Amino acid sequence: NVLVVDPSFKTILDIPFPERIDSIASYFLSSRLLAPQKIKIWNEQLSLLGKEHKLAQAKTHLNLAYEYAEIQQSNKAEEACLKVFPLISIETELDHNSQKVLGMAHGFLGTIYFISEDWKRTEESSLLAIEYFNSIPDTTYLANSIYNLGVALFKQNRYSESLERFKEAKELYKESDKIKYLDTEYWYVSSLIETQNEKKALTVFDSLIAQMKFAAHPKYSDALISYGDLLSSLKKYKAAEKNYLLAHGFAIENKRWNDLKKISSKIATLHESNNKLDKALEFRKILQVYADSFHISQSEASLEKSNQAFESFKLENLKMKEKYEMMLAASELKLNRNRKFINGFLLLSIFVFGMFCFFMIRKVNTNIVNKEIEVKSIKEKLFHTVSHEISRPVNLSQSYVQKLKKENLPEHIKGLVNSTDKTLNGLIGHINTLIDWNKAESNSIVLNLSKQSYSEVLQSIFKNVKTTTQKEDIIWLLDIIPENLICELDFENLEKVVSILLKNAASVVSSGAIISMTSRIEKDNLLRIDIKDNGPGIPHDKASNLFDWEYASESFSAHQSNAFEINMSLANKLVSLMNGKLSFVNNNNFGTHFSLLLPFAFVKEKQLISQVSSIIGKTGKKTTVLLKPDEDRYNILLIEDHLEFSNFVSDTLSDFYNISIAHDPRIGLAISYKEIPDLIICDLILSKTNNLEIYEKLKNNILTDHIPILIFTSKKERSENYNLELKGHDQYLDKPFKPQELVKLVEKMLDSHAKIDISKKLDDIVEGKELTKFETLLFSVIEQNYHKADFNADQFAEQIKMSKGQMLKKMKSMYHDNTSKILRDYRLLKSKQFLEEGILTVDQIASKCGFSSTEYFVTVYKNHFKLDPNDFS
């Protein structure tokens, strides 16, 4: 609406293409428009651009990518950025503008991959960006791309290469960006250490530490610790202790208690390595006494400070009340439009949600005895409506409010915006809790096991809750032992449980209170987490039903409602799902103590075969050996019990492929199901086992039926003892054979089994051609779910009865396309059929085919079919 009356923007729209694109970009830099508004304008200009303005189109797509990144839609940002490259031909000589656009596009892609920690693609995009920026040159963009490339190489353990890149980035940052220069210097010295260039690292550290301290650099403490570790490794213990003590003082000054604990452990270990056990023990005791007394004094000081601040706030509030009311009345007309939009939309969402809850709950209460099945169906429909019809517009409203918070608004308007943001955050939290609780009630939550650092996950959860808590002066204590435990757990559900317990503790305690979380290993391979607070506790009459949710009107305290009961019920159900136990020790009026016990690891996935380790334990055979791993190579599994012959085959092929060796056919079968290799090689007869049975199992299993198999045999064995009819691209190789014969046959089999474009299979479906067993199942699942906008890879894998990892590996082995592209192409095919029928509108077709918005559907349809779906109407 602002643009309609803005004469400056009207003037820009009169500028002809392609100059108009640069003028709009300059206008947006100083405007207060939100990212969705800019995206709409860029899409409008894109539709007006002629095909001859390819560079202008490329710039527009790049600007769209920036705006999508602004609202954290990284997938759309990447998609928009990738559209830049086909528009600029690299076969002819490029001018300065074209080179800059290509460089900026590759650099921006590198940043997207950097944030998502996709180091391989970060490296590829950064190298291309550097190539273009070297031709221009552009110092700022060039430095950022070199820095991204250096970090990507470092993360891939290519330290020598990263060292050279950090040298280049330092020179570019030296005069332009001091903080970035020091950050690059820190990575540079880390690379020196990894390349065993300790002497030069010591020299760099001496200068770096001083500069970081002067610049108050955020990695100053990390640099001190790294410097101390380097000195300690070189047996310069006094110098190492000096740096550790500096880091120790910095941690106390900045209240970084976890760093304090880590540093104290390093100092004690340093003394212990020098056999100064008394000094090490004395330091640990002194530190513990100091830490305890510091926490107590901080608690007392915080309580006194809170009391004084509260009294002062009361007086100030009385003075400000009258002033605020006068300012509010004066600005009422100016705020009317924004307030109506935000408050009206929020009230409408709450009203719709309340009406649904009211009618559904009343119906449940009326028919609770005789219609339990009907009640369950209504509940599922209610929460489905909440998740799809309310959460989306509420989240959109919050994004608008977040944008308003960044604007330079008057103080009284800021108060209204902050109040609205707080209300929206609370509403989103309640909706997410209700959705999770409904899933738990209907037993639709499944375990998602993963291997991670247990301590790092707990620290991240603790830090997140601490940061988002609005109460000030609460003392947060965290103690995790051991620190470096890697275990297999459902970390997603663990995060929900721990967050619920910490947030509930924070909601009931007063300022100046203490909330602590400790973790220890119990006997019988159990992990124990204890969360304590010194709040008011829970009344005894409510404690017995703490984990049971009912439609109760009373609350546990003045600060809580039924949300507390729902949260506790959800936490208890999630813990039970993880085979754990959640309990509490109630100290009424003296705080609450929750205790969580979880087994170290449990396997509840539907696997086609038991864990490989158990098979290895029973057979006594050696585990699979991976030779020369490389992600860009084909993966070949060799099943062979003869040690010398397996070494001969692996030596012949390992220069060209990743070779895994299984010395027992049962282990080979397990590895095949788990890893989905590109080719399997086995002998027709092993020393104790007939491999024909293994061959039939591999060919009759949906996980491995596509994998080509090469069988070693002799003509005599084949003709006299076995009559095996090979399937697909499988081959025999008669023994003895020359290494060159094996290499050529393997290359031929892999080439004949080249990946195909599965999107072309859609034409086969239309024509009624025969599909494989896996493809039939794949498209059957897509047909049942293509209309769901939130259908994802996890649900995909669950419905085809595979783990997500197995599904992705099989898809990668067979096809060029991923699941998201297959699903999108199938939706486009369906939408084309509906358009040709001429019964539904474009909006109805977009919704029916699972597209998140009509605008996105129209854009994707145009790009795919080169037609506008609106032309069918």
Side-chain angles (χ1 to χ4, degrees), residues 402-509:
Q402 291 289 344
K403 195 69 177 178
L404 283 174
K405 288 176 68 176
K406 297 179 180 179
E407 299 294 332
N408 187 16
L409 302 173
E411 290 298 323
H412 58 281
I413 300 179
K414 282 186 178 178
L416 288 176
V417 173
N418 289 334
S419 177
T420 303
D421 185 41
K422 181 179 178 182
T423 303
L424 285 171
N425 276 328
L427 181 59
I428 291 171
H430 289 315
I431 291 173
N432 291 335
T433 300
L434 287 173
I435 293 171
D436 287 335
W437 179 83
N438 184 58
K439 289 181 180 179
E441 282 285 290
S442 60
N443 296 320
S444 60
I445 298 179
V446 296
L447 287 176
N448 184 18
L449 302 179
S450 62
K451 293 182 180 180
Q452 298 186 48
S453 171
Y454 172 77
S455 58
E456 290 180 2
V457 172
L458 279 188
Q459 289 171 10
S460 176
I461 299 170
F462 189 84
K463 181 179 179 181
N464 182 55
V465 175
K466 177 182 175 182
T467 304
T468 56
T469 299
Q470 297 182 356
K471 294 182 181 179
E472 298 180 354
D473 298 327
I474 293 178
I475 297 177
W476 297 81
L477 303 177
L478 177 64
D479 188 10
I480 303 175
I481 298 178
E483 294 184 357
N484 299 315
L485 175 63
I486 304 296
C487 60
E488 188 176 32
L489 283 173
D490 187 343
F491 286 100
E492 181 179 353
N493 285 327
L494 175 64
E495 180 179 358
K496 292 179 181 178
V497 173
V498 176
S499 295
I500 287 172
L501 298 179
L502 287 173
K503 288 178 180 178
N504 284 335
S507 67
V508 298
V509 299

Side-chain angles (χ1 to χ4, degrees), residues 583-599:
S583 58
F584 74 100
V585 179
N586 190 30
N587 299 320
N588 194 19
N589 299 324
F590 295 97
T592 304
H593 172 193
F594 285 92
S595 181
L596 172 62
L597 287 175
L598 289 175

Side-chain angles (χ1 to χ4, degrees), residues 8 12 28 80 154 188 237 261 284 287 327 329 367 392 408 438 472 492 552 682 696 714 756 765 771 802 855:
S8 299
I12 291 174
F28 282 170
F154 187 91
Y188 173 71
Y237 299 118
K261 178 180 176 182
R284 290 184 185 273
L287 177 65
M327 294 173 64
N367 301 284
R392 186 183 299 167
N408 187 16
N438 184 58
E472 298 180 354
E492 181 179 353
C682 64
E696 292 296 334
S714 66
I756 62 175
I765 296 176
L771 301 176
M802 296 181 185
E855 183 181 29

Side-chain angles (χ1 to χ4, degrees), residues 250-296:
F250 183 84
I252 294 175
E253 181 181 350
N254 292 277
K255 300 182 181 180
R256 297 171 64 166
W257 307 121
N258 288 333
D259 284 356
L260 183 65
K261 178 180 176 182
K262 179 172 66 175
I263 297 165
S264 65
S265 176
K266 286 181 178 291
I267 297 174
T269 303
L270 191 66
H271 290 311
E272 289 164 358
S273 64
N274 290 321
N275 293 323
K276 298 179 180 179
L277 302 181
D278 292 339
K279 191 171 182 180
L281 182 61
E282 179 183 357
F283 183 86
R284 290 184 185 273
K285 289 181 177 179
I286 292 173
L287 177 65
Q288 186 62 47
V289 171
Y290 173 80
D292 292 342
S293 61
F294 182 80
H295 291 319
I296 293 171

Side-chain angles (χ1 to χ4, degrees), residues 738-749:
K738 296 180 180 179
Q740 295 85 346
E741 294 178 304
L742 175 61
V743 172
K744 288 182 179 179
L745 184 55
V746 168
E747 183 179 2
K748 177 182 176 182
M749 292 179 70

Side-chain angles (χ1 to χ4, degrees), residues 134-320:
N134 276 329
S135 302
I136 299 174
D138 190 306
T139 303
T140 301
Y141 289 120
L142 178 61
N144 291 337
S145 295
I146 294 175
Y147 173 83
N148 288 347
L149 175 59
V151 176
L153 293 171
F154 187 91
K155 292 293 185 178
Q156 297 178 76
N157 302 329
R158 293 157 64 182
Y159 305 116
S160 298
E161 298 175 61
S162 67
L163 192 64
E164 296 302 319
R165 293 300 181 178
F166 289 135
K167 283 182 182 178
E168 298 176 32
K170 282 199 310 174
E171 292 302 318
L172 295 172
Y173 283 133
K174 195 169 186 179
E175 301 298 333
S176 59
D177 192 333
K178 186 65 175 178
I179 296 298
K180 202 71 174 179
Y181 170 79
L182 293 176
D183 198 25
T184 308
E185 187 83 311
Y186 177 77
W187 283 104
Y188 173 71
V189 75
S190 299
S191 300
L192 286 174
I193 294 173
E194 294 295 343
T195 54
Q196 299 181 351
N197 199 341
E198 290 88 351
K199 289 185 178 179
K200 190 168 183 179
L202 286 174
T203 304
V204 176
F205 258 131
D206 288 336
S207 173
L208 178 61
I209 294 296
Q211 292 182 67
M212 279 188 162
K213 181 178 180 181
F214 179 77
H217 197 278
K219 289 186 179 179
Y220 171 63
S221 179
D222 296 335
L224 285 172
I225 296 172
S226 297
Y227 193 17
D229 292 343
L230 176 60
L231 291 168
S232 178
S233 67
L234 297 174
K235 298 184 179 181
K236 298 183 179 183
Y237 299 118
K238 289 186 177 180
E241 182 183 7
K242 177 182 177 182
N243 282 278
Y244 284 148
L245 289 174
L246 286 173
H248 171 265
F250 183 84
I252 294 175
E253 181 181 350
N254 292 277
K255 300 182 181 180
R256 297 171 64 166
W257 307 121
N258 288 333
D259 284 356
L260 183 65
K261 178 180 176 182
K262 179 172 66 175
I263 297 165
S264 65
S265 176
K266 286 181 178 291
I267 297 174
T269 303
L270 191 66
H271 290 311
E272 289 164 358
S273 64
N274 290 321
N275 293 323
K276 298 179 180 179
L277 302 181
D278 292 339
K279 191 171 182 180
L281 182 61
E282 179 183 357
F283 183 86
R284 290 184 185 273
K285 289 181 177 179
I286 292 173
L287 177 65
Q288 186 62 47
V289 171
Y290 173 80
D292 292 342
S293 61
F294 182 80
H295 291 319
I296 293 171
S297 63
Q298 281 291 101
S299 178
E300 293 174 350
S302 298
L303 183 60
E304 180 63 25
K305 182 179 179 181
S306 298
N307 290 334
Q308 294 176 359
F310 180 71
E311 294 298 328
S312 175
F313 174 76
K314 286 171 61 178
L315 295 175
E316 187 68 23
N317 189 50
L318 292 174
K319 295 178 182 179
M320 292 295 295

